[in-house]
Amino acid sequence: MLKVLKFGGSSMADAVQFAKVKAIVEADPARRVVVVSAAGKRCKDDHKITDLLYLCHAHIQYGVSCDGIFDMIRQRYLDIRNDLGLATDLESEFAALRKKMDTGISKEELVSRGEYFAARLMADYLGFDFLDAELWLKFKLDGTVDQEATYEALQRAASGRCVVIPGFYGTMPDGTIKTFTRGGSDITGALAAAALDADIYENWTDVSGFLMADPKIVQDPQPIERITYAELRELSYIGAQVLHEGTIFPVREKNIALNIRNTNQPDHPGTMIREAFDEQEVPDNRFITGIAGRKNFSVISLTKSGMSSEVGILRRILELLEKYNVSVEYLPSGIDCVSLVVATDKVAPCIYQLMGDLQKEIKPDKLHVIDNIAIVAAVGRKMAFKPGSSGKIFARLGENGINIRMITQGPEELNVIVGVDNKDFANTIRVLYDSFVK
Ligand code: ASP
């Protein structure tokens, strides 16, 4: 049994958090591969080390002294080391880094050092080997991960060992350091889990899993206990803030379960994500797994009599959107009409040209745009087996005075999506939550 664990910035923030990490790792001998983020915030007004490193680089670029910020970073890690009573030689490493900053260091190399120092300390503290990501996480020239080379290199470097790996970065073919986009340590953990065929990828953070709705809209939403990869994709696509978007693919491809856990509440089971669940295990009558949504969509509607039998008309419409590089989010259609749901900020710069082109090329009987539309998705794998789910959703929204402007359901019956006016957005989410979750 092998478990790969990733600890986010808040789990690495200070010596107290390091101690929690150690207790979690030592509680299970299968927890042998640990990926870490840079130290994060200790309290609301604190700074993330990665932010400070980006700031250092900006100072260097503009020729302004970054000594004060650099000292904050250095001191943060020295404090953790001293508080934990470790002997890790950070002084000479920080001195070498400072020198390199004077002679020329790339932005990506500099910002990657937050994870590097965090991993060095955690390795010493756990008594694990430090395994630098630059030795195995390989990018291709186009900036994507070279999965084959990466997996092979990690299998060679880590098999049979207990290791701590810095997240967030790897190397380009010429050996220079490249980072993922922000939050990318999630991806490092997923790649490590996939490369080593882990039984589970535990992603430890500061919340007890994903919530069923946005806590800014719904008061104290319940956490999601179990969610499939497909449901998670639906929810994160429409707006739920979850993991870094590149995280899912490597673990899903290898059918590895992903468990979101809370370092500050280690006994809470968090959210378990799998390809599928044996639904008999935990009977649960709720048919909604989560609710998410986003505001500010535009709906372009075209009506043309005989449209349904005009072969190729959809392709011609979509080609026009492609011409302006606007992606279509949803495409509800009737017999002689079709609506294109697009993000307003993407279509706004070209809306007049696009409407002109649609008029000229498609010759619709009616063509109009409605702005200020919000999309809300109720996602749930059990909807497919529960007759009347969508009926109940529409009825509750109607009873609460919410006018549904658009309805769509994916062919997998994994979601019911409604378009409502922007002003009804929060209320739609609240009504769905109160009616079907609470
Ligand atoms: N430290 C990096 C960031 O703050 C990467 C990560 O934590 O995942 O974005």
Side-chain angles (χ1 to χ4, degrees), residues 6-10 36-40 48-51 53-54 111 114-115 167-169 180-188 244:
K6 179 255 166 178
F7 289 91
S10 56
V36 298
S37 280
K48 291 182 177 183
I49 291 294
T50 310
D51 290 338
L53 286 163
Y54 275 110
V111 301
E115 270 68 14
F168 193 37
Y169 69 93
F180 290 110
T181 49
R182 296 299 304 267
S185 301
D186 281 342
I187 310 180
T188 311
H244 191 293

Side-chain angles (χ1 to χ4, degrees), residues 291 348 391 421:
I291 304 160
D421 289 333

Side-chain angles (χ1 to χ4, degrees), residues 274-295:
R274 287 184 192 277
E275 197 54 43
F277 290 97
D278 175 1
E279 303 296 356
Q280 308 311 321
E281 267 175 44
V282 188
D284 178 1
N285 281 329
R286 284 187 297 206
F287 62 84
I288 289 182
T289 305
I291 304 160
R294 247 188 302 151
K295 287 202 227 177

